[in-house]
Amino acid sequence: MAATEQPIVLPGDAIDPSLIPTHKKQPLRLGPGLRHIPPSYIVPTVAGQLVTDQKKNSMWIEYNSTRYIPSANDLVIGQVQRSATDLYYVNLSPYTSNAMLPHLAFEGATKKTRPQLAAGALVYARVTLANRHMDAELECVSATTGKAEGLGPLVGGMAFDVSLGLARRLLMARSREAGGVEVLELLGAEGLAFETAVGRNGRVWVSSDSAKTIVLVGRALRETDEGDLGVEKQRKLVKKLIRGMR
Amino acid sequence: MAATAPSSAAIAIPGQLLGPASKFQPGPGTHIHESNLYSSLLGLVHVTQPVKAPGPVKRLNKITPAPAPAELPTISVSRSAVSDKRETLPEVGNTVLCRVIRITPRQAVVAILICGETVLDAEWQGLIRVQDVRATEKDRVKIYESFRPGDIVRAEVISLGDQANYYLSTSRNELGVIMATSEAGNTMFPVNWKEYRDPETGFSEPRKVAKPY
């Protein structure tokens, strides 16, 4: 990785104009972490690595943080705090206001047949409405198809907290090449049977028949996160953990 | 004790007897109890003589009714020296200007600043419910696309409400957002009934726009 190509920037830094991608037809698109002040001033607002994509003519900043700010179409894992007349109050991150999940936003839910979620239950939901003036709103069903597509209550298992950067890399389509995280695939390849759900708000839910597996996966995630391990080190970590288990 | 002949310099305290209802017409700041006029406020007493309407020439054999109420002098009590200055409060049907404080999916909380043409002494809290934002398609209104915190809204009072809030409505064309600031911080101008545009950045933001007079 050439240092000049993907520099680390601090908020307010001037960006080298040679790094800004150009394209004949598409306008430049700015992703998270960058702010455009007309007419031509682009300034980072967070500390992180500046990433550019020539093909899509876009640039953004990859940064890590622990405070989740809801944005639309994110998949999140929330914990039900309490139930009101026709919605659930779901907590996405500690010490923030609750997001709202309507009772009818589940697959096949009508006024007569509602899901019964107790306080403390985990749900895998998508953020429908998020802006800085209002509390976030969630749904557990796809608005277009009407099917759950993996969303809904998460039964059993355990949720672990990870940093937002690791959650984002786990959710990438090609997490090994693009995100550099392979630990879950490696653990699966070693024969462990478990299922996971990753929430963009920094929570990973792991479920398995054996409690030992759940703890092992959780530990692997935490050590990858805290040690900021690359793919090679993840392999070694997985081998060490499997050896310790057997 | 009661003043026998109220003069314009007399001060009345609440509950003070001002005169009989047969001699005086009650004005603002007074109330009637058992055919007597009592003061409701602490203030100066004013007596305004009625405008004498030119009546027909008195005829000896015509039965005329007792003097009409408009012919009695009006007695009023007011706090300040100006006799007709009272605290205006929003009434049902008034058009008010208010600032949006907070939005939730079901209502917008506003602070009522101006009632009619008068700037109010105190800011009263009002509520614009989601079903009162528009006249058509009331169930598909999204508050986030109608108002934002900080907007100035022209609304109509539909109910005096409860202890905490007045209830307001913007369901006519002339009611809605009259002034809005964009996310970038610039004042926006209206484009059509549902959009404001920032002149500097060119971005549009959705609002329920009031039709300009």
Side-chain angles (χ1 to χ4, degrees):
Chain A
M1 181 193 74
T4 50
E5 278 184 21
Q6 310 222 307
I8 307 285
V9 291
L10 294 177
D13 274 0
I15 298 182
D16 190 0
S18 64
L19 295 171
I20 301 175
T22 52
H23 197 278
K24 270 186 288 200
K25 289 185 206 154
Q26 285 174 350
L28 179 66
R29 291 176 55 174
L30 297 181
L34 288 170
R35 191 173 160 184
H36 174 230
I37 300 176
S40 57
Y41 192 46
I42 298 177
V43 60
T45 55
V46 288
Q49 192 176 44
L50 181 69
V51 177
T52 58
D53 185 338
Q54 282 285 20
K55 207 167 50 161
K56 290 191 237 169
N57 201 32
S58 62
M59 53 195 281
W60 67 92
I61 298 195
E62 289 279 353
Y63 61 98
N64 198 5
S65 64
T66 45
R67 184 169 155 257
Y68 174 63
I69 298 172
S71 68
N73 287 330
D74 274 357
L75 295 170
V76 292
I77 295 179
Q79 187 174 37
V80 175
Q81 298 293 106
R82 66 178 197 279
S83 170
T85 47
D86 55 345
L87 35 86
Y88 289 111
Y89 288 101
V90 175
N91 185 259
L92 297 182
S93 47
Y95 306 116
T96 54
S97 38
N98 294 328
M100 294 184 275
L101 173 59
H103 281 185
L104 298 178
F106 290 84
E107 184 177 0
T110 60
K111 280 192 180 165
K112 305 265 171 73
T113 59
R114 289 188 204 177
Q116 303 289 334
L117 290 177
L122 292 174
V123 279
Y124 198 38
R126 182 186 298 116
V127 179
T128 49
L129 177 77
N131 59 71
R132 52 195 158 110
H133 302 300
M134 284 161 53
D135 293 339
E137 284 183 26
L138 311 172
E139 66 179 0
C140 274
V141 63
S142 160
T144 45
T145 64
K147 296 204 186 306
E149 288 174 8
L151 304 177
L154 298 169
V155 181
M158 182 175 164
F160 296 96
D161 288 329
V162 296
S163 67
L164 297 190
L166 181 66
R168 182 174 134 75
R169 278 152 51 210
L170 283 168
L171 277 170
M172 280 180 183
R174 292 192 309 272
S175 48
R176 181 151 59 95
E177 292 93 14
V181 58
E182 207 192 348
V183 59
L184 292 178
E185 284 93 353
L186 291 168
L187 284 168
E190 296 282 346
L192 294 179
F194 59 93
E195 61 172 330
T196 58
V198 181
R200 230 12 188 89
N201 54 329
R203 288 186 187 158
V204 178
W205 173 81
V206 184
S207 167
S208 171
D209 292 329
S210 130
K212 230 191 239 182
T213 312
I214 299 179
V215 173
L216 200 86
V217 174
R219 204 168 138 209
L221 283 169
R222 186 158 49 93
E223 302 216 354
T224 312
D225 199 13
E226 284 172 10
D228 200 14
L229 305 181
V231 180
E232 271 310 312
K233 291 208 177 132
Q234 287 170 28
R235 288 213 178 99
K236 291 195 187 127
L237 169 72
V238 167
K239 286 206 175 67
K240 188 182 81 173
L241 290 173
I242 298 286
R243 259 202 324 266
M245 187 180 86
R246 293 209 177 112
Chain B
M1 247 313 278
T4 46
S7 64
S8 50
I11 294 183
I13 55 174
Q16 182 168 320
L17 176 68
L18 297 174
S22 53
K23 287 252 192 63
F24 295 103
Q25 176 89 357
T30 63
H31 59 276
I32 296 183
H33 179 65
E34 290 174 358
S35 316
N36 281 328
L37 280 176
Y38 293 90
S39 166
S40 306
L41 305 173
L42 168 69
L44 296 170
V45 183
H46 302 276
V47 181
T48 50
Q49 297 300 329
V51 175
K52 259 216 167 259
V57 174
K58 238 180 162 177
R59 293 208 301 226
L60 285 170
N61 52 355
K62 182 171 170 68
I63 301 171
T64 54
E71 294 185 20
L72 293 177
T74 305
I75 196 163
S76 64
V77 181
S78 66
R79 289 197 183 101
S80 62
V82 179
S83 64
D84 54 0
K85 183 180 187 298
R86 293 145 58 190
E87 177 172 7
T88 30
L89 288 178
E91 298 294 326
V92 177
N94 284 2
T95 303
V96 297
L97 292 179
C98 43
R99 184 196 305 123
V100 179
I101 304 287
R102 186 163 70 237
I103 50 174
T104 72
R106 295 228 189 102
Q107 66 209 14
V109 180
V110 302
I112 302 176
L113 307 170
I114 294 176
C115 174
E117 301 284 333
T118 341
V119 177
L120 298 177
D121 298 322
E123 284 185 6
W124 300 103
Q125 184 167 303
L127 225 57
I128 305 179
R129 292 175 304 173
V130 71
Q131 62 263 37
D132 299 325
V133 171
R134 271 207 309 242
T136 54
E137 285 190 335
K138 290 185 186 186
D139 48 341
R140 299 213 286 178
V141 172
K142 298 210 173 92
I143 286 276
Y144 186 60
E145 291 170 7
S146 313
F147 306 115
R148 299 270 169 99
D151 289 351
I152 306 292
V153 172
R154 182 184 297 132
E156 182 187 2
V157 180
I158 50 175
S159 161
L160 298 183
D162 51 23
Q163 190 186 21
N165 310 301
Y166 284 91
Y167 284 89
L168 310 174
S169 159
T170 55
S171 53
R172 293 207 309 263
N173 285 349
E174 309 84 49
L175 304 176
V177 177
I178 57 174
M179 208 153 79
T181 310
S182 74
E183 305 251 324
N186 308 314
T187 309
M188 300 196 281
F189 63 88
V191 177
N192 53 39
W193 71 273
K194 51 182 179 166
E195 241 177 77
Y196 263 90
R197 188 172 297 160
D198 182 337
E200 228 181 87
T201 62
F203 288 132
S204 294
E205 287 182 26
R207 299 286 203 280
K208 200 269 175 190
V209 182
K211 195 165 163 178
Y213 285 127

